[in-house]
Amino acid sequence: MEQLRVSEADLQQIVAQDHYAAVFRPDATVVMVAPRDDLFAIAKEWQRQVEDIGWKTHITRSRTEATAWLRENFPEPTARVASTETPQPEDAKSN
């Protein structure tokens, strides 16, 4: 693909859908990798238009930076999730 063409109407439709989605996912995080100038400009315009919905957004030109941003903003959990396995009575284990 040499060029991405997104009309103002297309962008407005995407933004409207994101405003709707934010009702159900108000704490979403969106990271976009846009290495080309045209993609980056569209992504930044989208970011500007959705800044009022409360999402945490980041636009970058490289996947490496996107990954670093995610790691910085969402560190690994320190606690382990408890097992969902139901404990068996001692008698059942010996059978």
Side-chain angles (χ1 to χ4, degrees):
M1 179 190 320
E2 291 187 24
Q3 186 177 21
L4 177 67
R5 294 184 183 161
V6 177
S7 70
E8 185 62 32
D10 293 335
L11 184 58
Q12 291 306 312
Q13 184 177 12
I14 293 166
V15 168
Q17 290 172 345
D18 288 338
H19 276 85
Y20 180 73
V23 171
F24 301 98
R25 187 67 83 155
D27 58 348
T29 298
V30 179
V31 178
M32 289 187 198
V33 178
R36 295 189 339 231
D37 290 343
D38 58 337
L39 300 174
F40 194 82
I42 292 166
K44 291 303 264 186
E45 180 59 24
W46 168 85
Q47 184 180 44
R48 187 186 67 71
Q49 292 189 34
V50 298
E51 66 187 4
D52 64 331
I53 62 177
W55 286 357
K56 195 172 204 178
T57 62
H58 184 70
I59 313 298
T60 180
R61 292 185 180 269
S62 76
R63 186 176 182 151
T64 301
E65 183 186 332
T67 302
W69 184 87
L70 285 168
R71 285 191 178 127
E72 180 179 312
N73 287 276
F74 298 95
E76 291 289 326
T78 56
R80 293 195 175 248
V81 176
S83 173
T84 58
E85 194 174 297
T86 306
Q88 298 294 317
E90 289 302 315
D91 294 340
K93 288 183 182 177
S94 62
N95 290 336

